[in-house]
Amino acid sequence: SSRRLKVRAFSEEQEALVVKSWNAMKKKNTGELGLKFFLRIFEIAPSAKKLFTFLKESDVPVEQNPQLKPHAMTVFVMTCESAVQLRKAGKVTVGEFNLKDLGATHFKYSVHYEHFEVTKYALLETIEEAVPEMKIAWAEAYDQLAAAIQNES
Ligand code: HEM
């Protein structure tokens, strides 16, 4: 990929901010947050709905589709874990998932750079609403994770 992102140093303070705000968000309704996050994506980029097979094949309105929350939560949780790993290991690792597989999956479903950017924007808006002042650390953790996934495709 031509958009390889250089790994930047991730400070202890940034890690602490991401983890702290995630813990604060977890106490609220994370399902609601996740849903809001994805509805925001589709508001900005309605065509992104077509990427998800379970949305394409469903007659249920998007906001009522029960399959939407898990991917939304995954992005939240993995961005948070990315922050921890960036600080500890200096690079992104994706826990139970394999980066190569994740890269291949998103490539297969035609998820492009622009989708990652829109998703970042929606994620940061959601976080800003839930826990203001936490945006920059989340942005950095998200960028590194998204780049790691796209570099594998
Ligand atoms: C699938 C994570 C960004 C669309 C998945 C899966 C994971 C994941 C863990 C499941 C893979 C599997 O089951 O093997 C992430 C993370 C992201 C990200 C951590 C950001 C850093 C995006 C974006 C889009 C997207 C930006 C599009 C707007 C999809 C689609 C699938 C998928 C369409 C397949 C779902 C299906 O079965 O229909 N993602 N994702 N992802 N992701 Fe993402």
Side-chain angles (χ1 to χ4, degrees), residues 9-21 83 87 133-134 136-138:
F10 201 77
S11 71
E12 226 165 291
E13 195 192 349
Q14 284 172 304
E15 179 201 8
L17 282 176
V18 172
V19 173
K20 197 177 134 198
S21 52
R87 221 275 299 152
E133 313 305 324
M134 297 295 176
I136 292 164
W138 276 87

Side-chain angles (χ1 to χ4, degrees), residues 80-109:
C80 187
E81 280 165 5
S82 165
V84 176
Q85 291 309 322
L86 277 171
R87 221 275 299 152
K88 272 199 197 135
K91 62 175 183 165
V92 169
T93 50
V94 289
E96 69 198 282
F97 291 100
N98 172 305
L99 259 186
K100 270 206 176 344
D101 292 345
L102 272 186
T105 301
H106 290 87
F107 184 74
K108 187 181 105 187
Y109 284 92

Side-chain angles (χ1 to χ4, degrees), residues 37-38 41-42 45 48-55 67 70-71 74-79 94 96-97 101-102 105-106 109-120 123 141-147 149-150:
F37 165 37
F38 260 68
I41 294 175
F42 300 143
K49 276 182 229 164
K50 287 192 225 118
L51 300 173
F52 294 87
T53 43
F54 57 80
L55 292 183
Q67 285 173 278
H71 184 267
T74 305
V75 177
F76 264 126
V77 172
M78 286 179 69
T79 304
V94 289
E96 69 198 282
F97 291 100
D101 292 345
L102 272 186
T105 301
H106 290 87
Y109 284 92
S110 301
V111 181
H112 297 140
Y113 176 76
E114 288 73 15
H115 298 121
F116 279 92
E117 285 300 291
V118 168
T119 299
K120 175 185 173 185
L123 176 74
Y142 177 88
D143 277 346
Q144 303 268 353
L145 173 61
I149 292 174
Q150 293 174 92

